[in-house]
Structures are given as structure tokens and as C-alpha cells.
């Protein structure tokens, strides 16, 4: 049996951020407070000066990668973007060799997105604290900074978490965004989280503990304060299968008419990239209830907060 993976140091600060599982409310609140300050005034601090951050993306990304890069640069880090780095697997190099190679070059933080479960944790373990690992998306399983930015956006729009109904709608089974949003919101005390999906996209019973499940979109979003739409994950095989887009839009797409089932002041979210006219209509995505651009802005702030805390934890250990 291997040791349990420790994301936190003895002082309760992040050594790595691979998953939101096991992180307590106090830590999440502290990260949100810090991110909120960055969102209000995107300072160009020096919390990361002297550190090198490498972005290793084994899956496509625009906003997550750009926002990690900006979050690091705005705090004085040196940033290395190695989109193809994990594909040196194709040359027979193991992921762990790649990680050790980068560490030997003095990389302090590895920001990793990969379609294979477990990659972030195995690299964090292998580097044994010599470099911090931050997940930028792990298969269908987790996307912790997305969960935090979604929570921040909801708090900014709705104030407290403790009376909210949040509907997470669409391809839930294959969505790391949904899993991390659920984890963050459940930890932060949201009492009513709803998973709204057709049977083929409904997660298994062991997943999304405590959430209410709906197979009807109209019922699932009825009265909700937040409607979080998800992208159909065509690239992930498995549940969901091939989707008939016209019937999906009819039954699950967020049209202006469907949105009227939600609370009158409901906000609409989507992690991007959007399939306009499928899971969400442009009229809604660009309409007055949409906070999708705010999510993007908050992505930079949240990633600044996470990187700043990791950098502090490293400095404390180096003392
Ligand atoms: N950009 C998000 C992710 O990488 C959402 C998506 O792709 O559907 O998980």
C-alpha cells in the first residue's frame, strides 16, 4: 500500500493542487478571498518571482492555459509552455522522466492537463515535493481551479452559498467541470445541488453524493438560482455515446424559453468552449443573465491565488 497522497503541508497550505477532494471549507474560503482581491484589482505582484512554472497540456486548451500563463506572469514567474511535452510518451519517454527532466532544469511548478487519470498525482509523488503540481484538468475526473472559479463567480453574483439551488446540466457523466463544481459547492455549503442529464449522461450512483438527480431539464432547472451548462464531451468515449444534436437541444439545450423555468434572477454559466445552438443558445449565452465572461476573468484571479499559496508554502519549507 502506498502512502496516502498529501496535498497539504503541516501548516494546512497547498503543496500541490490535484483535486478538491479532502480540502476543507476554510481553505477553499481562503483561496476564494484571495482570488476575490485579485479579481477586484489584478495586481502585478512578485509572489512568484524567482520561480519557474511549466504548463504541460496534453489536451487542447485555450482559456485554462492562457489564464495559468497570465496568472504566473502577473506575479513575476518565468513561464514555459510545453504543449507537446507529454506527447514525448510517443517517443517512449515516461511521464515521470519528463517531469524529472523539467525539475532538473529548475522548474518549480508543473501545471498539467492530461486525458489519463492519475498523471498529476503520480508526477507529484515522484517529484517528492521538489516541484509543486497543479492540475489543469484530469481526464473526466477533476478540474480543481475550474471548481474554484465557478464557486467564486457564484459567490460574487449571489452572496452566501447557504440558500442556493444550483443545477448542473448536460453531459455530467463525462464532465470534470461538473465533478469539481459539485465538490467545491458541497464543501462550501450549497444545500441544493442538482444533476440534470439524460440517462446516457447521468453519472453513476456513487458519484455526486447528495445531489438530486433529474432527467427532465425543465424540472431540473425549475427555480434554480444558478444554471451551469456543460459542453458535450464528444471527445470522451463511453457513456453519452453519439448524440443527436437536434434532439439534445430540444430536450436539454438552454434556450430563452427554458431559462424561464429557473428563478427570475438566475445566472447562467458555461465553462467554455460552448457549442452554441446545441447546449446553449447564443441569445442566452450573450444575454443579461449570462456570467460566462465573468467566469473567464475569475479564472485568472483564482489561478493567481492558487499559485501564490503554493509559492508561499514552498518558501516556508525552504526556510
Ligand atoms: N474547458 C473545460 C475543460 O477542459 C470544459 C470543457 O472542455 O468542456 O474541462
Amino acid at each position: 500500500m502506498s502512502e496516502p497522497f498529501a496535498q497539504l503541508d503541516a501548516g494546512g497550505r497547498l503543496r500541490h493542487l490535484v483535486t478538491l477532494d479532502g480540502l476543507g471549507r476554510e481553505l477553499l474560503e481562503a483561496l476564494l478571498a484571495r482570488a476575490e482581491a485579485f479579481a477586484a484589482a489584478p495586481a502585478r505582484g512578485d509572489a512568484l518571482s524567482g520561480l519557474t512554472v511549466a504548463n504541460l497540456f496534453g489536451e487542447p486548451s485555450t482559456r485554462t492555459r492562457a489564464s495559468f500563463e497570465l496568472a504566473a506572469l502577473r506575479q513575476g514567474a518565468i513561464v514555459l509552455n510545453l504543449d507537446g511535452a507529454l506527447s514525448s510518451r510517443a517517443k517512449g519517454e515516461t511521464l515521470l522522466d519528463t517531469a524529472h527532466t523539467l525539475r532538473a532544469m529548475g522548474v518549480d511548478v508543473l501545471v498539467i492537463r492530461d486525458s489519463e487519470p492519475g498523471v498529476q498525482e503520480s508526477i507529484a509523488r515522484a517529484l517528492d515535493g521538489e516541484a509543486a503540481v497543479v492540475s489543469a484538468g484530469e481526464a473526466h475526473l477533476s478540474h480543481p481551479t475550474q471548481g474554484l472559479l465557478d464557486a467564486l463567480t457564484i459567490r460574487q453574483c449571489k452572496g452566501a452559498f447557504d440558500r442556493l439551488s444550483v443545477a448542473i446540466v448536460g453531459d455530467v457523466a463525462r464532465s470534470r467541470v461538473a465533478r469539481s463544481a459539485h465538490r467545491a459547492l458541497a464543501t462550501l455549503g450549497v444545500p441544493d445541488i442538482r444533476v440534470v442529464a439524460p440517462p446516457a449522461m447521468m453519472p453513476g450512483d456513487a458519484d455526486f453524493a447528495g445531489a438530486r438527480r433529474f432527467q427532465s431539464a425543465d424540472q431540473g432547472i425549475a427555480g434554480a438560482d444558478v444554471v451551469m451548462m456543460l459542453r458535450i464531451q464528444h471527445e470522451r468515449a463511453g457513456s453519452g455515446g453519439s448524440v443527436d444534436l437536434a434532439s439534445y437541444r430540444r430536450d436539454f439545450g438552454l434556450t430563452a424559453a427554458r431559462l424561464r423555468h429557473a428563478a427570475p434572477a438566475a445566472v447562467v454559466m458555461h465553462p467554455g468552449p460552448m457549442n452554441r445552438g446545441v447546449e446553449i443558445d447564443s441569445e442566452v449565452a450573450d444575454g443579461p443573465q449570462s456570467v460566462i465572461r465573468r467566469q473567464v476573468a475569475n479564472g485568472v484571479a483564482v489561478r493567481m491565488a492558487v499559485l501564490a499559496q503554493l509559492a508561499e508554502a514552498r518558501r516556508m519549507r525552504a526556510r
Side-chain angles (χ1 to χ4, degrees):
M1 273 292 280
S2 57
E3 294 278 304
F5 175 58
Q7 291 199 104
L8 303 183
D9 66 13
R13 284 172 301 258
L14 289 172
R15 300 169 68 228
H16 304 283
L17 179 59
V18 169
T19 172
L20 297 177
D21 292 357
L23 303 186
R25 182 166 185 165
E26 212 177 307
L27 178 60
L28 299 196
E29 298 268 16
L31 289 168
L32 294 188
R34 195 162 192 169
E36 178 73 66
F38 285 128
R44 284 155 204 266
D46 59 359
L48 271 70
S49 87
L51 296 182
T52 302
V53 176
N55 287 322
L56 285 88
F57 279 65
E59 280 188 330
S61 172
T62 307
R63 74 210 77 219
T64 303
R65 212 202 72 172
S67 63
F68 266 111
E69 184 170 356
L70 288 173
L73 288 171
R74 285 189 182 153
Q75 299 185 93
I78 294 171
V79 179
L80 197 62
N81 288 309
L82 293 156
D83 285 0
L86 298 179
S87 61
S88 52
R89 263 182 282 196
K91 294 190 208 158
E93 184 172 64
T94 68
L95 290 172
L96 299 184
D97 283 338
T98 307
H100 282 297
T101 300
L102 290 169
R103 179 57 206 148
M105 293 181 190
V107 169
D108 301 284
V109 181
L110 297 165
V111 176
I112 303 174
R113 168 173 289 192
D114 203 70
S115 59
E116 200 180 302
V119 162
Q120 287 86 353
E121 183 180 324
S122 21
I123 291 180
R125 282 177 182 275
L127 294 176
D128 198 24
E130 281 183 42
V133 171
V134 184
S135 171
E138 177 185 359
H140 62 290
L141 291 174
S142 108
H143 195 348
T145 54
Q146 177 79 41
L148 291 170
L149 78 87
D150 287 338
L152 177 62
T153 307
I154 291 171
R155 199 176 65 181
Q156 287 171 342
C157 298
K158 295 284 162 200
F161 289 110
D162 58 2
R163 292 211 179 141
L164 293 180
S165 291
V166 178
I168 305 177
V169 186
D171 192 356
V172 183
R174 298 185 290 187
S175 175
R176 57 190 173 208
V177 172
R179 285 188 177 76
S180 288
H182 170 254
R183 171 59 59 199
L185 297 176
T187 304
L188 290 163
V190 172
D192 181 24
I193 304 178
R194 310 169 186 182
V195 163
V196 185
M201 294 177 173
M202 189 59 87
D205 290 343
D207 237 350
F208 292 86
R212 295 200 284 152
R213 288 158 191 259
F214 293 85
Q215 290 182 15
S216 148
D218 292 349
Q219 287 171 15
I221 68 174
D225 303 296
V226 176
V227 182
M228 184 184 290
M229 301 307 295
L230 303 172
R231 184 176 66 85
I232 302 179
Q233 305 281 302
H234 293 292
E235 73 278 23
R236 292 186 209 288
S239 67
S242 73
V243 180
D244 175 52
L245 298 183
S247 52
Y248 186 84
R249 175 175 184 275
R250 185 193 63 222
D251 296 337
F252 281 87
L254 193 60
T255 59
R258 177 156 287 137
L259 180 56
R260 285 197 274 277
H261 290 276
V267 294
V268 173
M269 304 174 71
H270 191 299
M274 291 182 269
N275 294 304
R276 288 173 179 264
V278 182
E279 69 251 356
I280 190 165
D281 277 9
S282 286
E283 193 187 352
V284 176
D286 305 326
Q289 288 170 266
S290 169
V291 294
I292 294 170
R293 295 218 178 102
R294 189 186 267 232
Q295 288 175 270
V296 176
N298 284 335
V300 180
V302 154
R303 289 163 183 135
M304 286 178 83
V306 166
L307 291 174
Q309 187 175 115
L310 288 167
E312 269 166 23
R314 288 180 74 71
R315 293 218 162 87
M316 301 293 250
R317 283 201 299 286
R319 269 186 202 156

